[in-house]
Amino acid sequence: MTYVTYLLSMLFVLGFLGFSSKPSPIYGGLGLIISGGVGCGIVLCFGGSFLGLMVFLIYLGGMLVVFGYTTAMATEEYPEAWSSNVVIWGVLLLGVGVELMIVLLTILYEQVEVIVEFKSLEDWMVFDVDELGLVREDSMGVAALYSYGSWLMVVAGWSLFVSIFIVIEITRGN
Amino acid sequence: MNPLTSSAIYFTLFSGTLITLFSSHWLLIWVGLEMSLLAIIPILMSKPNPRSIEAASKYFLIQATASMILMMAAIINFYNTGQWSISNTINQLSSLMLTLALSMKMGLAPFHLWVPEVTQGIPLMSGLILLTWQKIAPISIMYQIAPSINYNLIMFMALMSILLGGWGGLNQTQLRKILAYSSIAHMGWMMAIISFNPSLSILNLLIYMMLTINMFMLLYYNKKTSTLALSNSWNKSPLLTSIILMVLMSLGGLPPLTGFFPKWMIIKELVSNNNIILPTLMAIMALLNLYFYMRLIYSTSLTLFPSSNNTKIKWLFENTKITPLISAIAIASTMSLPLTPILSTLY
């Protein structure tokens, strides 16, 4: 099970490479879908089934769909794909090379320290620390957002509300 | 802008900074910074022309990058220490990333290049909010993490800011760019003292804000944005020329005026900590700032700029606007030096 998490995290990074090499937004959206789905898989592997499925439903099924439609409306005649020009090739090769290097280092030395210390598969293992029974951590966290964390709810709700006004003001254009 | 929209946006800007100020959880601090960033974008673009759209885009990109680095620093701090509170000493890596992120937000060298370009592209009142209100949140975070900031890094950035703020402003005739370079230099003075006495940074910020608000209001009520326009204002609004003389000299840090107080206290604090070369260099480089303020005063108040004879004989005056704030702030920003003992005990 931990090996699956490791594989998914590699795919996660490779998916990020797909859109950070800056192709046209349609292809970037594809990269986002892949890495979003894989990220959801990683959350699922840690046992957060509620939050993982939430990501699929709201992020991929709501926001990315709208993003896909808007990029389809604003598309150009010759969009820049992943093999269009030298720059994108270079970024992709650099990214894949660095990822390969880190994977090889992890296999050889069992421990890699780039920014944080990553001890190969040991970091991904989840031990059953406290047995809460029927109480699931992730869904209880979302419930806590409405009770103990109501201030964050108010702030986040207000920010989302105001961002609509802001976007309309910015794109008004007169 | 529609008054309802405009009030919602100004409320978000205000409350974003307040949320950053009173939060102890790193996530809420980041939320407050993002709220004020999001809310100021339509304010920067309140007169939509390509120049202001470009300025707003530059501002957004740089501040969003800085917010992301701040978020990463908070997460690395959580990974290493297991808690989100700001009141604990943070580890070296997070402290480094936080210093860099916050100096990008404040416009400290070497991340200062966006300040003149963004300030020049936006209307005067938006520039006021950008240079005064948007500095409160990053400096408050710096105040709270001050014990953990790497001393060499912050001193280097402060010295660079004073230098580049002074040098950059020497060749400018546009008033908004002059005020932007003045902001960079003042941020440098504020960050120079933050490792020794963070309260002096806040005091410097308050006095700087008062002076900058004064300058922007004077320029706004007379609609002047360049040195040429300012130099023709001696017969349209003689009050402007007199007050600008005092305020600019106060900004430059000349002794009998309020602007001398922060520089004096900072130099005193640095010398008390056996740091002599640095305040000498800082005081010398503050002269660069003073030079371009004096050049403005020269063409505005002290001499008659070359103009045609028609403008010298003016018989029709514009409506005199009632400006109660300028009189109060002008006195506070030029004559508060005798209050030094009280101001030192305020924090």
Side-chain angles (χ1 to χ4, degrees), chain A residues 115 158-159 162 166 169-170 174, chain B residues 1 11-12 38 41 48 93:
Chain A
I115 306 266
W158 175 256
S159 309
V162 157
I166 290 174
E169 277 305 318
I170 291 176
N174 59 346
Chain B
M1 251 195 284
F11 176 70
T12 310
L38 212 54
I41 297 296
L93 174 66

Side-chain angles (χ1 to χ4, degrees), chain A:
Chain A
M1 204 56 199
T2 58
Y3 203 54
V4 168
T5 318
Y6 189 61
L7 280 176
L8 284 178
S9 65
M10 270 203 299
L11 276 178
F12 192 59
V13 174
L14 291 176
F16 266 63
L17 267 181
F19 60 81
S20 57
S21 52
K22 287 186 283 291
S24 168
I26 312 169
Y27 299 104
L30 183 63
L32 269 181
I33 290 176
I34 293 176
S35 46
V38 167
C40 164
I42 295 178
V43 173
L44 283 172
C45 287
F46 276 104
S49 46
F50 178 65
L51 284 176
L53 288 175
M54 222 27 135
V55 165
F56 247 115
L57 199 65
I58 309 295
Y59 182 66
L60 295 184
M63 299 199 272
L64 261 182
V65 164
V66 174
F67 178 71
Y69 282 138
T70 49
T71 48
M73 278 202 298
T75 190
E76 52 202 359
E77 198 179 347
Y78 297 104
E80 217 172 88
W82 284 302
S83 53
S84 292
N85 58 357
V86 189
V87 179
I88 300 187
W89 265 122
V91 174
L92 278 177
L93 284 175
L94 176 70
V96 171
V98 170
E99 173 71 10
L100 210 63
M101 197 175 70
I102 292 185
V103 166
L104 283 174
L105 277 177
T106 318
I107 294 176
L108 283 177
Y109 290 114
E110 297 292 328
Q111 179 175 327
V112 174
E113 181 161 1
V114 181
I115 306 266
V116 295
E117 204 174 301
F118 178 66
K119 290 193 193 62
S120 173
L121 294 182
E122 180 186 312
D123 263 343
W124 289 123
M125 284 225 270
V126 179
F127 299 106
D128 263 338
V129 186
D130 31 325
E131 191 60 52
L132 291 174
L134 285 172
V135 175
R136 299 277 335 178
E137 265 183 358
D138 46 2
S139 43
M140 286 307 116
V142 172
L145 194 63
Y146 287 85
S147 60
Y148 297 111
S150 53
W151 173 238
L152 188 61
M153 190 56 119
V154 167
V155 167
W158 175 256
S159 309
L160 287 173
F161 173 67
V162 157
S163 62
I164 300 283
F165 281 96
I166 290 174
V167 168
I168 290 183
E169 277 305 318
I170 291 176
T171 54
R172 188 189 291 273
N174 59 346

Side-chain angles (χ1 to χ4, degrees), chain B residues 17-23 29 33 86 102 106 135-146 191 194 198 201-202 205:
Chain B
T17 306
L18 277 191
I19 287 175
T20 305
L21 288 181
F22 67 59
S23 297
I29 290 172
L33 284 172
I86 197 179
L102 291 170
M106 287 192 291
K135 307 279 190 244
I136 295 181
I139 291 187
S140 81
I141 305 176
M142 281 285 215
Y143 178 90
Q144 288 171 308
I145 65 172
M191 288 300 117
I194 201 147
S201 289
I202 306 288
L205 176 69

Side-chain angles (χ1 to χ4, degrees), chain B residues 286-328:
Chain B
L287 286 176
L288 292 167
N289 259 331
L290 191 60
Y291 176 73
F292 57 80
Y293 297 144
M294 292 304 292
R295 195 168 52 191
L296 265 184
I297 297 173
Y298 180 79
S299 66
T300 309
S301 324
L302 299 179
T303 58
L304 284 182
F305 212 67
S307 58
S308 58
N309 282 334
N310 289 343
T311 59
K312 294 194 179 76
I313 315 168
K314 192 173 168 64
W315 58 274
L316 182 69
F317 289 92
E318 288 98 24
N319 291 336
T320 50
K321 303 176 186 61
I322 303 174
T323 58
L325 187 62
I326 292 184
S327 38

